[in-house]
């Protein structure tokens, strides 16, 4: 009778649970039993592992074999347990030293020829192993860079099971041939989910062309929307662009992610973990350093937005846009159920998805940008444009964006049609992305210095109680906001959001605290009521 164990990791959402893979050999009829709440792809590992072991030159034990995945109460899915199962079986069969693999975490899928194929979710899996105290990890060679992002863990990247057996037995390591025929590496297919990438709204449409990088200078005119975009980036405030088609709403939103500052190390790890689990992490780029951008189509379901799917829930668009931009173009065309599902993540910064298979908590701290037309034909706000939509249709169309959702949007800006002078650049080009991004970084630095020692880093995260008791505006600056609150123009939540925007406006102009003109700018961007606040470029 032989016994051995190895370790692997089961992913529940974007969090990992270390799983002990135990193999037990007993006399009896040759059979292979896999227990421990495996899914269909994991049950099929019995045939993959047997073929990989035999084709790697090792002997398959002809006894009754039982492989248990502990803890048995945790659902396990995917093919990433293959490598740990194979090593546990070889350890029970005395081909490997059981003591050499007992405390090693192994992640990888096995091909029938013994090659180790990469799987999704390597970074969160290695993070879970490090938090559990494990110091040695074996992963596929293609994902070794991703696993090496976790400090304090020794990472071994292998190309085949033969190489791993030789390393563990201190034997000469065989050379594995590399397919160098000029075609894409088939081994990387397991890292990408079919249909993801540029075609799924995971990159700005204007950046998909070769040789051109989207720049704010490409946007003609629109000083007020450009300033709102800058304020949104500096403070992390949600934004609504409303206006007729062709005014530049989508162009502005697509350039927002480039204005945001680069991600910190911790933020990069969070984003990379989500993208790795979702299968959208580009091969060869183990760490995401720029703010992500996600723009789902308006036919997206609630599950695709907030997360869900069959079995264990998977990350949705709000999680793919974590620490970045979620752009909902043609927002009134989204289903009301899907839009209202965004209320909770907009406030809390995470999503809790409950399904029969389990409850998953997914990160979802994003900057939301909505773009909407004034009516179904889009010409309602234009003078003499010939809008034929009845008033009842216009009201119903605009009511698709519910009041509770709009109350969580800090900035609401009307995008006017571009005039001839701006379109033909007779008025001069606007500021470039680099100039605006520099101001945004300076404003973020001022906010971070002010909020040092608190759990918040941007103005949009500061609770209203702190804004009203500790982070006070200049005396008398809130008079206009208080009047709007009494008239019912602002809600209590709206007043807090006006204060947050005012702090961001003050940070952009280098002021120590908001004054009456900062409150006026915030109120104008919130309510759309003209208050004579300076909005031209550089006026703040």
């Amino acid at each position: 009778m032989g016994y051995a164990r190895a370790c692997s990791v089961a992913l529940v959402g974007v969090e990992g649970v270390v799983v002990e893979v135990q193999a037990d050999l007993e006399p009896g009829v040759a059979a292979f039993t896999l227990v421990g709440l495996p899914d269909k792809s994991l049950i099929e590992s019995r045939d993959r592992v047997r073929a990989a072991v035999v084709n790697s030159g090792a002997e398959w034990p002809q006894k009754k074999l039982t492989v248990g995945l502990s803890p048995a109460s945790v659902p396990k899915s995917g093919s990433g347990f293959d490598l740990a199962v194979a090593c546990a079986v070889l350890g029970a069969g005395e081909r490997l030293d059981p003591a050499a693999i007992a405390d090693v975490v192994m992640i990888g899928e096995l091909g029938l020829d013994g090659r180790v194929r990469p799987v999704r979710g390597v970074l969160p899996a290695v993070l879970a192993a490090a938090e559990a105290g494990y110091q040695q990890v074996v992963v596929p060679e293609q994902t070794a860079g991703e696993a090496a992002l976790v400090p304090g863990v020794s990472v071994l990247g292998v190309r085949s099971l033969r190489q791993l057996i030789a390393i563990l037995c201190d034997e000469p390591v065989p050379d594995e041939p590399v397919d160098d025929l000029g075609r894409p590496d088939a081994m990387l297919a397991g890292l990408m989910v079919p249909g993801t990438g540029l075609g799924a709204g995971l990159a700005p449409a204007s950046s998909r062309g070769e040789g051109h990088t989207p720049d704010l200078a490409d946007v003609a005119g629109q000083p007020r929307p450009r300033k709102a975009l800058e304020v949104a980036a500096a403070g992390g405030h949600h934004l609504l662009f409303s206006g007729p088609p062709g005014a530049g709403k989508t162009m502005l939103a697509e350039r927002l992610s480039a204005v945001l500052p680069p991600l910190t190390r911790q933020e990069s790890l969070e984003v990379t973990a989500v993208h790795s689990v979702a299968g959208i992490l580009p091969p060869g780029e183990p760490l995401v350093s720029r703010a992500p951008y996600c723009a789902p189509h308006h036919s997206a379901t609630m599950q695709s937005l907030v997360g869900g799917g069959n079995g264990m829930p998977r990350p949705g668009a709000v999680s793919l846009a974590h620490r970045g931009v979620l752009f909902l173009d043609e927002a009134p065309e989204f289903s009301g159920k899907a839009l209202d599902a965004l209320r909770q993540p907009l406030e809390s910064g995470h999503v809790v998805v409950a399904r029969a298979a389990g409850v998953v908590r997914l990160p979802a701290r994003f900057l939301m940008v909505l773009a909407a037309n004034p009516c179904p034909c889009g010409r309602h706000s234009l003078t003499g444009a010939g809008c034929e939509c009845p008033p009842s249709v216009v009201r119903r169309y605009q009511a698709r964006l519910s009041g509770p959702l709009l109350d969580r949007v800090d900035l609401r800006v009307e995008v006017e049609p571009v005039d001839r002078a701006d379109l033909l650049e007779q008025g001069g080009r606007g500021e470039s992305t680099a100039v605006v991004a520099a101001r945004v970084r300076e404003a973020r630095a001022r906010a971070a210095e002010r909020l040092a020692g608190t759990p918040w880093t941007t103005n949009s995260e500061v609770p209203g109680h702190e804004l009203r008791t500790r982070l006070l505006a200049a005396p008398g600056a809130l008079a206009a906001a208080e009047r709007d609150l009494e008239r019912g123009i602002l809600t209590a939540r709206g007043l807090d959001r006006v204060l947050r925007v005012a702090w961001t406006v003050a940070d952009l102009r280098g002021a120590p605290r908001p004054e009456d003109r900062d409150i006026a700018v915030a109120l104008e961007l919130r309510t759309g009521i003209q208050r004579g606040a300076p909005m031209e470029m550089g006026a703040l």
Side-chain angles (χ1 to χ4, degrees):
M1 182 174 67
Y3 171 83
R5 64 184 178 91
C7 294
S8 191
V9 178
L11 291 177
V12 182
V14 294
E15 299 177 356
V17 178
V18 176
V19 173
E20 192 175 87
V21 181
Q22 305 166 343
D24 178 70
L25 286 175
E26 298 178 358
V29 178
F32 188 173
T33 304
L34 183 63
V35 297
L37 211 59
D39 72 339
K40 180 65 174 177
S41 61
L42 186 50
I43 292 176
E44 293 174 349
S45 68
R46 296 178 301 184
D47 300 319
R48 291 195 301 270
V49 169
R50 182 188 292 110
V53 169
V54 173
N55 290 328
S56 297
E59 183 180 353
W60 184 261
Q62 298 300 318
K63 296 181 180 180
K64 181 182 178 182
L65 172 62
T66 302
V67 174
L69 308 175
S70 178
S73 60
V74 177
K76 304 165 189 72
S77 61
S79 56
F81 296 87
D82 289 2
L83 197 59
V85 171
C87 289
V89 171
L90 292 175
E94 298 182 351
R95 176 64 177 89
L96 298 176
D97 182 8
I101 61 175
D103 294 322
V104 179
V105 176
M106 302 181 182
I107 304 166
E109 176 187 336
L110 285 175
L112 300 184
D113 56 354
R115 289 185 298 172
V116 181
R117 303 179 66 92
V119 294
R120 300 188 296 271
V122 168
L123 177 59
V126 177
L127 283 171
E131 292 176 358
Y134 291 88
Q135 298 179 348
Q136 294 181 316
V137 177
V138 178
V139 298
E141 186 180 54
Q142 292 87 345
T143 58
E146 183 181 344
L149 297 173
V150 182
V153 176
S154 176
V155 178
L156 173 62
V158 294
R159 192 175 299 171
S160 67
L161 181 60
R162 286 182 290 271
Q163 287 186 343
L164 181 58
I165 294 174
I167 292 172
L168 293 175
C169 296
D170 199 16
E171 299 173 354
V173 180
D175 291 331
E176 294 293 340
V178 180
D179 187 4
D180 190 14
L181 300 178
R183 59 193 179 197
D185 189 358
M187 297 287 283
L188 299 177
L191 293 178
M192 298 290 290
V193 175
T196 59
L198 298 179
L202 297 173
S206 54
S207 67
R208 300 171 196 170
E210 296 181 358
H212 175 70
T213 302
D215 196 289
L216 268 176
D218 302 333
V219 181
Q222 306 296 2
R224 188 179 302 272
R226 289 170 63 100
K227 183 53 63 179
L229 196 77
E230 182 177 342
V231 173
H237 306 288
H238 305 303
L239 177 61
L240 167 64
F241 286 138
S242 59
K249 302 186 295 294
T250 303
M251 285 186 66
L252 286 163
E254 288 176 344
R255 283 148 179 79
L256 178 55
S257 59
V259 178
L260 294 175
L263 301 177
T264 63
R265 175 74 178 184
Q266 180 61 34
E267 292 172 345
S268 295
L269 291 177
E270 294 175 7
V271 175
T272 303
V274 175
H275 287 201
S276 179
V277 170
I280 63 173
L281 193 64
E285 297 182 16
L287 186 66
V288 178
S289 58
R290 297 294 306 174
Y293 173 93
C294 185
H297 192 259
H298 60 256
S299 61
T301 62
M302 184 186 71
Q303 289 77 12
S304 66
L305 281 182
V306 300
N310 296 327
M312 191 60 65
R314 296 180 58 82
V318 295
S319 297
L320 300 182
H322 180 59
R323 302 294 181 183
V325 178
L326 175 67
F327 177 45
L328 302 183
D329 200 4
E330 304 293 346
E333 300 295 340
F334 283 80
S335 70
K337 186 178 180 181
L339 289 175
D340 289 337
L342 299 176
R343 299 183 194 177
Q344 185 252 346
L346 286 174
E347 290 287 334
S348 62
H350 64 267
V351 175
V352 178
V353 183
R355 295 290 185 270
V359 179
V360 173
R361 185 180 187 272
L362 301 169
R365 188 168 295 281
F366 55 90
L367 198 165
M368 182 180 69
V369 181
L370 304 175
N373 293 326
C375 67
C377 74
R379 300 191 296 269
H380 178 68
S381 60
L382 299 178
T383 303
C387 175
E388 299 179 355
C389 300
S392 59
V393 173
V394 175
R395 285 195 301 270
R396 274 199 305 270
Y397 187 81
Q398 295 178 354
R400 292 181 181 179
L401 298 179
S402 64
L405 177 64
L406 290 180
D407 200 33
R408 291 166 168 82
V409 178
D410 302 344
L411 311 172
R412 308 172 191 174
V413 181
E414 192 76 25
V415 182
E416 302 291 341
V418 183
D419 57 28
R420 180 174 57 86
D422 290 331
L423 191 59
L424 299 179
E425 295 186 355
Q426 295 176 3
R429 289 170 60 89
E431 291 180 319
S432 65
T433 297
V435 174
V436 177
R439 284 203 301 265
V440 169
R441 286 195 299 270
E442 294 175 1
R444 288 253 182 151
R446 294 188 187 98
E449 182 180 357
R450 181 175 62 255
L451 299 175
T454 68
W456 318 297
T457 55
T458 59
N459 293 322
S460 62
E461 302 172 5
V462 182
H465 177 73
E466 290 289 323
L467 294 171
R468 295 189 299 270
T469 57
R470 192 171 66 89
L471 301 175
L472 299 176
L478 290 176
E482 292 170 355
R483 286 194 299 269
D484 285 357
L485 181 63
E486 293 174 354
R487 296 170 183 169
I489 300 176
L490 286 179
T491 62
R493 180 193 285 120
L495 178 62
D496 291 343
R497 293 185 176 274
V498 166
L499 288 174
R500 294 169 185 167
V501 174
W503 270 106
T504 302
V505 175
D507 288 336
L508 282 171
R509 65 183 187 88
R513 58 179 177 175
E515 299 176 358
D516 51 356
R517 59 173 174 172
D518 301 320
I519 299 293
V521 171
L523 284 171
E524 187 167 332
L525 292 175
R526 169 81 181 182
T527 63
I529 302 174
Q530 300 293 331
R531 301 170 188 267
M535 286 290 180
E536 61 273 8
M537 299 308 299
L540 299 184

